[in-house]
């Protein structure tokens, strides 16, 4: 049973560029959540997608946007990259919109120069 | 809004000694509580979770945690540390009043001395 997968593993961008990160949920899961984990900190919730719609959002600017596809996979897009966007971006999947446990992928390490 | 405080950003223990990681939460309703572990350059792995059943929760790799409502705590313990326990540990709370949004503590790094 494949777990949560994310691509790419690492990414280097320059300020002002745009980036797209991808996530495939665990088999049987239909909800995807995205988190940003800055160095030395805990993960911070960005947003959650369920039934192809953004259902919840954390305290992140509109430069952060996402999408969920009919097969439940998801993308995170970040526009106009800032140095402060450098972080590990984690995707988590779960079943339904609610109390089910979230399972995390290995993350994408984004470095903005 | 719920929040999580992990006391101690770094814990160092000898191999074979007790591991104790502290977590306190703030909540107006009974939350769901989780402990995750993160090994270097990896994602988060679920160790255990509390969902209002038994207050003593057993997880993987010999870890357990006890939910104490009166103390608003959910401390993680392991009786005997192993070198492979060296990692970063995160306590998280899921808020029933906010669509179960997951909020994490800042993390505790565990080092194990031989």
């Amino acid at each position: 049973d494949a777990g949560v997968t994310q691509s790419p593993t690492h990414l280097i961008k320059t300020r002002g560029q745009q980036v797209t990160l991808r996530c495939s949920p665990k088999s049987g899961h239909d909800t995807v959540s995205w988190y940003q984990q800055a160095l030395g900190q805990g993960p911070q919730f960005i947003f959650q997608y369920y039934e192809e719609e953004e259902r919840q959002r954390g305290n992140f600017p509109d430069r952060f946007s996402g999408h969920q596809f009919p097969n439940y996979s998801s993308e995170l897009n970040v526009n106009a990259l800032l140095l402060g966007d450098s972080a590990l971006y984690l995707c988590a999947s779960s079943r339904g919109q609610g109390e089910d446990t979230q399972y995390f992928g290995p993350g994408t390490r984004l470095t903005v120069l | 809004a719920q929040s999580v405080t992990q006391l101690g950003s770094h814990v160092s223990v000898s191999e074979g000694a007790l591991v104790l990681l502290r977590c306190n939460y703030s909540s107006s309703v009974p939350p769901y509580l989780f402990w995750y572990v993160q090994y270097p350059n990896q994602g988060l792995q679920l160790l255990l979770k509390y969902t209002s059943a038994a207050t003593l929760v057993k997880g993987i790799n010999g870890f357990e945690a006890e939910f104490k409502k009166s103390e608003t705590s959910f401390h993680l313990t392991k009786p005997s540390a192993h070198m492979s326990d060296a990692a970063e540990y995160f306590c998280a709370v899921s808020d029933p009043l906010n669509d179960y949004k997951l909020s994490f503590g800042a993390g505790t790094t565990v080092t194990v001395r031989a």
Side-chain angles (χ1 to χ4, degrees), chain B:
Chain B
Q2 307 217 40
S3 66
V4 176
T5 302
Q6 290 184 241
L7 300 176
S9 60
H10 189 213
V11 168
S12 179
V13 299
S14 297
E15 192 172 20
L18 172 71
V19 179
L20 170 60
L21 304 183
R22 300 179 187 275
C23 173
N24 288 89
Y25 67 91
S26 66
S27 172
S28 57
V29 298
Y32 289 4
L33 294 159
F34 304 81
W35 276 99
Y36 285 88
V37 61
Q38 186 176 35
Y39 298 100
N41 301 311
Q42 294 188 26
L44 276 67
Q45 179 182 4
L46 179 69
L47 275 178
L48 49 79
K49 64 179 179 180
Y50 167 77
T51 56
S52 73
T55 56
L56 183 62
V57 182
K58 294 189 182 297
I60 62 171
N61 301 339
F63 284 93
E64 63 182 33
E66 186 173 8
F67 173 70
K68 290 187 177 181
K69 184 178 179 180
S70 61
E71 299 177 7
T72 60
S73 69
F74 190 55
H75 302 332
L76 180 72
T77 60
K78 181 173 180 177
S80 177
H82 190 271
M83 297 299 287
S84 62
D85 295 327
E88 188 153 21
Y89 293 79
F90 292 96
C91 181
V93 60
S94 178
D95 184 354
L97 296 183
N98 193 11
D99 292 326
Y100 296 94
K101 190 174 81 171
L102 203 56
S103 298
F104 285 85
T108 298
T109 301
V110 172
T111 56
V112 182
R113 305 185 303 272

Side-chain angles (χ1 to χ4, degrees), chain A residues 25-54:
Chain A
K26 183 179 170 67
S27 178
H29 288 185
D30 55 9
T31 301
V32 173
S33 302
W34 287 92
Y35 294 82
Q36 180 195 67
Q37 185 181 16
L39 200 61
Q41 297 182 24
Q44 298 293 315
F45 175 73
I46 302 175
F47 44 53
Q48 182 183 80
Y49 276 83
Y50 174 68
E51 292 186 337
E52 301 181 49
E53 290 189 13
E54 183 183 297

Side-chain angles (χ1 to χ4, degrees), chain A residues 20-79:
Chain A
T20 298
L21 311 181
R22 295 176 176 82
C23 171
S24 291
K26 183 179 170 67
S27 178
H29 288 185
D30 55 9
T31 301
V32 173
S33 302
W34 287 92
Y35 294 82
Q36 180 195 67
Q37 185 181 16
L39 200 61
Q41 297 182 24
Q44 298 293 315
F45 175 73
I46 302 175
F47 44 53
Q48 182 183 80
Y49 276 83
Y50 174 68
E51 292 186 337
E52 301 181 49
E53 290 189 13
E54 183 183 297
R55 300 292 181 167
Q56 300 180 60
R57 190 178 183 91
N59 189 26
F60 279 81
D62 293 344
R63 297 187 298 109
F64 289 77
S65 63
H67 188 76
Q68 186 178 36
F69 299 94
N71 67 352
Y72 309 123
S73 66
S74 176
E75 289 182 348
L76 164 65
N77 301 292
V78 186
N79 293 323

